[in-house]
Every structure is written in structure tokens, then in C-alpha cells.
Amino acid sequence: MDTSLATLFNLYTFTPGRRLFAIAQVRKAALAAGDMAIAAFAVSCVDHDEALRTLEATWAAQDEKAPAFAPEAKPIDLAIDGVLVAIRDTAERQVEASAQGDPIATSGSALLKEIFPRGLFAVTSLPYVEELCEVERILGVLQHPMRVPTVQELGLSRYVARLVDLAKQYRTALELPLPKRVTFPEVKAARAEGQRRMLQLVAMIVGRYPSDTPEDQASRLAMLGPIVQQNEAIGQSLRARRTADDVDPETGEPLRVPVVSEAPAVTTSPA
């Protein structure tokens, strides 16, 4: 036998904004009545749904495809590309400006061919790991004792020092753990927990004011009224065959933004 609150209380699944708006009003009514237990639980419901909205925003902002490396790698990759461009451009200018018969024209051309055998783009367009390996190979050439005089004559020493530093940073960034991604099952579970908490709040109110005395009926109306009102609004939208809009949790005004979900938003339909 299913005795879950969802089967005992015939309510639609609320959007986070509708829950926040309704439960905030419940809290005000509970405080006005001096019912601190219900007010405190209402606060916990609000805290959960505010965290849910942050979780949903984070999930929605993620790229569909998980990144292969930590985000710190991208700016370093761009900086390395810039240094490689500077090395090529500086060496080419020195070779082009050299006098006829100047040995630097020959040694400079040979160096460029050795570090960029298939051109600069063949290096800068590589995936991160492959580019790191190629940069380390290029550094091996530039730092070789036989190439150091040519590097110095071409005015590349500062670029080489910068490239050494960036290569170390690059390797460190590529070895960083990936940032934790928010998964849809996490969002879905948090949505369901928000609904369960609201139903628990309803159960607390009914249990605290169970009779048909005028006093209990008035308390139920004050505390359950905001939830019932939002439930009826959702029902009207669904009966009109349209998705129930979320609302601003502060004002209750419709946001006109359909809620993203995998399945229909209704758990049970009120009679």
C-alpha cells in the first residue's frame, strides 16, 4: 500500500517559483498565528527551493558536452599560441632584413623549419595534449646548445623563457581535476525533494489544525490558502492544455517561461 504524501494530498507538482511564493506566504501566516514550528519548517522549504533555483541555473548554463580539461587550460593555450606567433614573426623579420650573405639568414631559416616543419598553424591548431607535446619538442630545439647562439642572435631569448614558464603552467592545468558538473538526475531529485517538503508542510498544518471548529478552519485557510491558490492556477493552465508558467517568488507574477522538465508536471489530478 502506497502511503506517500503524494498519494494522500492531491496536489500538482509546483514549479520552484510557485512553491517559493506560496510557502513564503504560509510562513507569514504561521508567524502571525504564533506557530513557530510551522514557520521554521516553512523557512527550511524556502531555503531548499532557493538552492534548487541556483542548481537549475548552474545546470542550464553548462555546455551540453562535458569539457575534456579544466577551464584553466584555455587561457594558457592562448598565451602559448601568442608566444609561438611572436617567435615566428620575430625570426622571419630578422631573416628577411639580414644582409646578403649574413649567416643568420641561413641559420634562422633552418631554425624556423625545424621548429615549425609544417607551419605555425599545424602547432596552434592541435588539441591541448598534443600541443603541449609539440611545445616541449620546440623548446628542446630552441634550448639545444647548437641552437642557442641563433636564438640569441634572432632576439628570441625572452620568448623562449616565457614559453618555458607557460609550458609548465600548461602541463599543470591539463592535470587538474575537472570541475564537478551538475547532472539532470541531481536537478530532478532536488525538484522532487522540494515537492515532498511542501507536502510535509501541508501535512503539518492539517495535523496541527485538524478539526472543523471555526478556529481550525480559519488557521487552515490562512496557512493552506496560498498553496491551494497556486495549485488551482496550475490546474487551470493544464485544463486549458498549456504549460503552467512559473511565477516570480517575490511578487507571484507569471514569468511566462515554461519550466524545463523531462515529463509532464502533474503527479495526480484533483477531482
Side-chain angles (χ1 to χ4, degrees):
M1 180 183 298
D2 185 2
T3 58
S4 63
L5 292 177
T7 62
L8 298 176
F9 295 102
N10 213 13
L11 296 175
Y12 293 102
T13 298
F14 282 33
T15 59
R18 287 186 182 275
R19 273 200 307 269
L20 280 168
F21 180 68
I23 293 173
Q25 290 181 301
V26 172
R27 175 180 171 274
K28 289 180 182 178
L31 287 173
D35 196 326
M36 305 310 295
I38 288 179
F41 190 74
V43 168
S44 74
C45 294
V46 168
D47 290 344
H48 175 274
D49 275 343
E50 286 180 343
L52 169 59
R53 286 165 70 85
T54 300
L55 186 72
E56 287 191 332
T58 302
W59 171 68
Q62 292 177 155
D63 293 332
E64 288 188 19
K65 185 178 180 181
F69 299 99
E72 289 85 350
K74 185 173 182 179
I76 300 172
D77 176 75
L78 294 174
I80 284 176
D81 291 351
V83 173
L84 292 176
V85 169
I87 289 173
R88 181 202 61 184
D89 291 351
T90 301
E92 284 183 345
R93 283 196 298 269
Q94 291 281 21
V95 169
E96 291 169 359
S98 60
Q100 187 174 5
D102 189 336
I104 196 62
T106 302
S107 59
S109 296
L111 181 66
L112 281 170
K113 187 172 183 180
E114 191 171 0
I115 61 178
F116 302 126
R118 293 175 295 165
L120 174 63
F121 184 71
V123 179
T124 58
S125 61
L126 288 170
Y128 287 171
V129 173
E130 287 82 352
E131 182 167 341
L132 173 62
C133 292
E134 188 64 7
V135 166
E136 289 176 339
R137 181 195 69 79
I138 290 171
L139 281 172
V141 174
L142 294 171
Q143 293 178 306
H144 193 281
M146 293 181 61
R147 300 288 181 267
V148 170
T150 301
V151 168
Q152 291 174 342
E153 276 197 81
L154 291 171
L156 304 178
S157 299
R158 292 176 67 86
Y159 296 133
V160 173
R162 175 64 171 150
L163 196 59
V164 168
D165 184 50
L166 286 172
K168 292 177 182 177
Q169 293 180 39
Y170 205 22
R171 180 169 289 280
T172 298
L174 294 181
E175 291 173 353
L176 288 174
L178 290 175
K180 184 181 181 300
R181 286 173 60 84
V182 176
T183 65
F184 183 72
E186 288 179 281
V187 174
K188 189 176 180 179
R191 288 174 179 173
E193 177 62 18
Q195 184 74 9
R196 279 193 295 270
R197 283 173 175 267
M198 184 183 70
L199 293 176
Q200 289 170 27
L201 182 61
V202 171
M204 286 179 65
I205 294 169
V206 172
R208 218 163 211 5
Y209 308 101
S211 75
D212 285 333
T213 63
E215 294 78 13
D216 278 7
Q217 288 193 50
S219 295
R220 287 201 302 271
L221 177 62
M223 296 185 202
L224 291 179
I227 294 175
V228 173
Q229 184 178 29
Q230 292 300 323
N231 192 66
E232 290 176 349
I234 294 171
Q236 288 175 4
S237 295
L238 294 174
R239 284 191 290 274
R241 298 185 180 277
R242 55 186 175 84
T243 302
D245 295 319
D246 202 357
V247 301
D248 185 303
E250 298 292 333
T251 66
E253 291 297 318
L255 294 176
R256 306 298 180 190
V257 178
V259 178
V260 178
S261 62
E262 279 190 328
V266 179
T267 51
T268 56
S269 296

